Amino acid sequence: MDLINELAYILSKKKSARFDSYLPANSKIRKLYDLVTQKEVLSDDVAAHEIYNTGKADKKYLMLKRNLIQKLSELVFMEDYVVPYEENYVNIQFRVERELNIAEKLILENVYHNPTKIIAKVEHMAEKYYLIDVQVSAAKKFRSVYALKGFPAETEKYDNKVKQLTKYQQYYNEAKGMWEVLYSKTKYTIAKIPEFIFEAYHYSEIIKQWLHEYDSPFMRLYFYKISSIKYDQQNDNQKFFETINSLNKLTQDYHFVKSQQLLLEINYAYALYYRNIRKVDIAEEYLHKCLELSDYRAFNKFQVQQLLFEVKIKQKKYTDAGEILYETFCVPQFELLDNYDKSAWAIREAYLYFIFKAHNYSELFKYLPNIDSSFELNSFLERTKKSSKDKFGYNIVLLIIRLLFMAKSNFSEIDNEGNNLLIYYHRYLKELNSYRTREFFKAVSKMGAKGFEKEIIEERKEILKSRLEKSEENVYDVFELIPYLDFLNMIPEFLSKEIKK
């Protein structure tokens, strides 16, 4: 079902003129398509029952489903790639590659007069838009044409050009690979660790050297992307902001680089920056731009929603946060998320439960699909197993809320759990590049170690407040889902029945 949905999503960008002939109205194949895309049927059993009143193993249903996938695949293949910007490099690359394919077929038949004109046009377009892969391909075809014509000087010229362009192509492919490797390592974690910083610094320095020899907007694109990770990891908000501005300017200087996904990344980065410096209302403005550029079916809307959820909490708009959470859990694509993402959303749900419980907002429990008023700790820990492996990332956020829930369910042993967190702090977090989180984690751990006595809570709260006020920057940490002082103020209400008098 997910493949049908993904193919349908691509086709939804632009209605194909062939669509109705491939999937005729009132046909069974069209009915299956509509069931999956409009009624959001996720089960083969349900679809088979709706169409044939049989099970998913029925041969008629299996053939129908296979036929639908084949028809949709053919439509996707035949239609042009659609992006909102006509001059986008992907549109151009698809067009010129099609021209090169025609030239290649002519050359294979030893016909080389007309291919020369085609290749020359493609070469010009490729150079204009820095399409290095196409440049290499065009140069190779010119070399073949001049060889067929028996022109040694021109053949040698293009042989040398192929060698030079292949070198630049390697720079580009390696730069792209560096970005993809770093992105893959940071995708599912909020950890900020020396390994990521070193790797981002190393990669950016290499690309910087290559840019002296081959200055391409696509090389700069990956340089800025990698640099943004480096500065974000270092909590250097000013340089992070400057890098986003450079990336944004790149899309203005080279319009063909612009794409919906890149604009989404830029607006999301601005939202992160303003979240970091506590200007959450401005962050929200950028996130609303992100919502217009994203879609659950493309799975990029989940990332936007997670940051908007956090912003709503910082604005104390808890009902709005609940609506975001409920919507996210209820969309069909949620079940297709990676388990790391699902785990992180389970943590967000637990934090919202903590807020509702502390403020006695019982009417808002309806926004928590997996939690009722009697929170089940073991079930929560099972749903967040993936996050527990992220020692310098989501596990920090998990351990804090876990301590509060353990205090709620087994208050008599909470001092042991508090001491365990202090051990964790000294083992993993003492050198954490997040001052606010280090101090907050230590404060909550010491409260737990002392059984959350009211006097201890007040004492640690004043100490934490003093230390945070003396810190260099007025920022929010990436781990700070609930502002830390607000969090401490909620603890007594959350544990109102258990805290010692």
Side-chain angles (χ1 to χ4, degrees):
M1 292 297 182
D2 55 327
L3 177 56
I4 294 172
N5 265 313
E6 289 171 3
L7 292 170
Y9 171 66
I10 295 172
L11 292 171
S12 70
K13 299 281 187 176
K14 181 182 179 182
K15 183 70 177 289
S16 169
R18 304 178 181 91
F19 185 83
D20 287 330
S21 62
Y22 270 65
L23 307 180
N26 302 318
S27 65
K28 286 186 170 59
I29 195 171
R30 182 65 166 268
K31 184 175 182 180
L32 177 58
Y33 176 84
D34 290 340
L35 280 172
V36 176
T37 59
Q38 295 177 17
K39 296 187 178 180
E40 298 176 333
V41 172
L42 295 176
S43 165
D44 282 308
D45 277 322
V46 174
H49 184 268
E50 286 275 345
I51 297 171
Y52 291 113
N53 197 27
T54 58
K56 65 180 181 180
D58 184 88
K59 288 185 178 180
K60 289 184 294 184
Y61 173 73
L62 293 175
M63 288 179 65
L64 182 70
K65 183 180 177 183
R66 189 182 303 116
N67 192 25
L68 174 59
I69 292 172
Q70 182 179 345
K71 294 289 187 184
L72 293 176
S73 299
E74 289 174 6
L75 284 169
V76 169
F77 178 77
M78 288 186 294
E79 295 301 312
D80 289 332
Y81 179 73
V82 179
V83 293
Y85 314 100
E86 181 64 24
E87 203 186 11
N88 176 263
Y89 75 95
V90 178
N91 280 339
I92 296 164
Q93 182 160 333
F94 279 163
R95 287 202 299 267
V96 296
E97 282 179 344
R98 190 159 46 199
E99 295 292 314
L100 275 184
N101 284 334
I102 294 171
E104 176 73 13
K105 290 176 181 179
L106 290 170
I107 293 169
L108 288 173
E109 295 297 330
N110 211 37
V111 178
Y112 52 79
H113 292 290
N114 284 321
T116 305
K117 297 177 183 178
I118 297 173
I119 300 167
K121 182 180 177 182
V122 168
E123 183 181 48
H124 172 72
M125 293 291 287
E127 289 173 355
K128 180 181 177 181
Y129 293 104
Y130 297 85
L131 303 175
I132 187 63
D133 291 339
V134 179
Q135 284 180 266
V136 171
S137 185
K140 287 180 178 179
K141 286 176 175 54
F142 258 135
R143 185 178 62 185
S144 297
V145 167
Y146 285 122
L148 287 170
K149 287 183 175 183
F151 293 172
E154 288 80 358
T155 304
E156 187 174 355
K157 172 188 171 183
Y158 270 94
D159 186 54
N160 291 330
K161 188 170 185 177
V162 167
K163 291 174 184 176
Q164 186 66 60
L165 289 173
T166 301
K167 183 180 179 182
Y168 295 158
Q169 186 183 41
Q170 183 177 350
Y171 289 165
Y172 167 76
N173 286 330
E174 288 193 31
K176 184 178 181 182
M178 290 171 183
W179 154 248
E180 289 175 343
V181 166
L182 191 58
Y183 177 76
S184 70
K185 292 182 178 181
T186 56
K187 180 176 174 65
Y188 293 118
T189 180
I190 53 174
K192 299 195 174 184
I193 56 179
E195 175 195 339
F196 296 157
I197 296 172
F198 172 80
E199 202 163 350
Y201 176 81
H202 177 63
Y203 289 159
S204 62
E205 287 299 304
I206 292 174
I207 298 174
K208 189 188 295 183
Q209 291 301 313
W210 289 342
L211 282 167
H212 291 303
E213 187 176 351
Y214 176 52
D215 192 355
S216 154
F218 296 105
M219 294 287 287
R220 289 188 174 275
L221 175 68
Y222 293 117
F223 174 74
Y224 294 141
K225 284 188 173 189
I226 291 171
S227 296
S228 68
I229 290 182
K230 176 177 67 176
Y231 295 129
D232 182 50
Q233 285 285 318
Q234 292 175 327
N235 292 324
D236 190 334
N237 288 314
Q238 184 56 40
K239 288 187 177 178
F240 180 58
F241 181 66
E242 291 169 4
T243 303
I244 306 166
N245 285 338
S246 297
L247 189 55
N248 193 31
K249 187 174 185 300
L250 187 72
T251 65
Q252 297 167 7
D253 293 342
Y254 301 93
H255 295 289
F256 55 88
V257 173
K258 188 189 301 182
S259 68
Q260 187 165 317
Q261 181 58 35
L262 182 56
L263 291 181
L264 173 59
E265 291 175 21
I266 291 170
N267 281 288
Y268 187 81
Y270 276 126
L272 276 179
Y273 167 74
Y274 285 109
R275 184 281 308 271
N276 292 347
I277 64 170
R278 294 192 170 208
K279 295 185 178 181
V280 291
D281 289 342
I282 300 177
E284 184 182 11
E285 292 175 11
Y286 278 100
L287 287 170
H288 282 297
K289 293 180 182 179
C290 291
L291 289 175
E292 295 174 3
L293 296 165
S294 60
D295 195 300
Y296 284 121
R297 294 173 297 173
F299 294 94
N300 48 25
K301 191 171 181 178
F302 290 101
Q303 184 184 32
V304 179
Q305 291 288 57
Q306 73 182 39
L307 187 56
L308 185 57
F309 172 82
E310 181 187 327
V311 163
K312 292 297 184 182
I313 286 180
K314 288 177 169 59
Q315 294 171 326
K316 298 185 179 180
K317 296 178 180 178
Y318 302 133
T319 301
D320 290 351
E323 290 173 349
I324 291 170
L325 185 87
Y326 187 82
E327 176 185 308
T328 302
F329 273 110
C330 291
V331 294
Q333 290 78 15
F334 183 83
E335 291 306 316
L336 301 175
L337 288 179
D338 187 272
N339 287 331
Y340 283 104
D341 271 338
K342 290 180 181 178
S343 178
W345 277 105
I347 292 173
R348 295 182 192 104
E349 187 177 23
Y351 270 79
L352 198 56
Y353 171 84
F354 169 83
I355 293 171
F356 292 168
K357 199 74 174 174
H359 291 290
N360 198 28
Y361 293 154
S362 56
E363 72 279 7
L364 299 183
F365 284 140
K366 64 184 179 181
Y367 293 120
L368 309 176
N370 305 291
I371 302 174
D372 56 28
S373 56
S374 57
F375 185 86
E376 217 293 301
L377 181 59
N378 289 333
S379 174
F380 169 66
L381 296 179
E382 179 65 26
R383 292 168 58 220
T384 55
K385 281 195 303 185
K386 284 289 186 180
S387 295
S388 65
K389 298 177 182 179
D390 187 15
K391 298 300 182 186
F392 300 98
Y394 277 111
N395 194 47
I396 297 171
V397 188
L398 174 60
L399 286 174
I400 291 169
I401 199 68
R402 174 178 174 268
L403 179 68
L404 272 299
F405 288 136
M406 294 188 80
K408 196 79 174 169
S409 61
N410 192 5
F411 194 78
S412 61
E413 297 182 11
I414 196 58
D415 52 343
N416 290 333
E417 294 300 326
N419 283 316
N420 288 338
L421 259 65
L422 285 172
I423 294 171
Y424 191 92
Y425 167 80
H426 287 287
R427 181 176 296 173
Y428 295 107
L429 307 186
K430 206 169 183 181
E431 303 301 324
L432 185 73
N433 184 27
S434 296
Y435 175 80
R436 292 175 62 83
T437 298
R438 289 203 313 268
E439 292 298 320
F440 176 73
F441 192 95
K442 183 166 56 175
V444 174
S445 301
K446 288 185 175 181
M447 290 178 191
K450 295 291 185 179
F452 286 106
E453 295 177 356
K454 285 186 176 180
E455 294 78 8
I456 296 297
I457 291 177
E458 291 303 316
E459 177 187 325
R460 298 311 308 181
K461 187 165 66 175
E462 290 305 312
I463 292 173
L464 179 64
K465 183 178 180 181
S466 174
R467 289 180 178 176
L468 294 185
E469 287 174 350
K470 291 178 182 177
S471 64
E472 294 182 4
E473 291 184 293
N474 188 25
V475 297
Y476 284 129
D477 273 357
V478 67
F479 309 96
E480 196 169 355
L481 183 54
I482 303 173
Y484 286 147
L485 292 178
D486 291 346
F487 195 115
L488 293 189
N489 288 330
M490 294 180 198
I491 290 176
E493 294 303 319
F494 182 76
L495 300 176
S496 58
K497 295 180 181 179
E498 286 80 10
I499 295 178
K500 298 175 183 177
K501 304 296 183 184

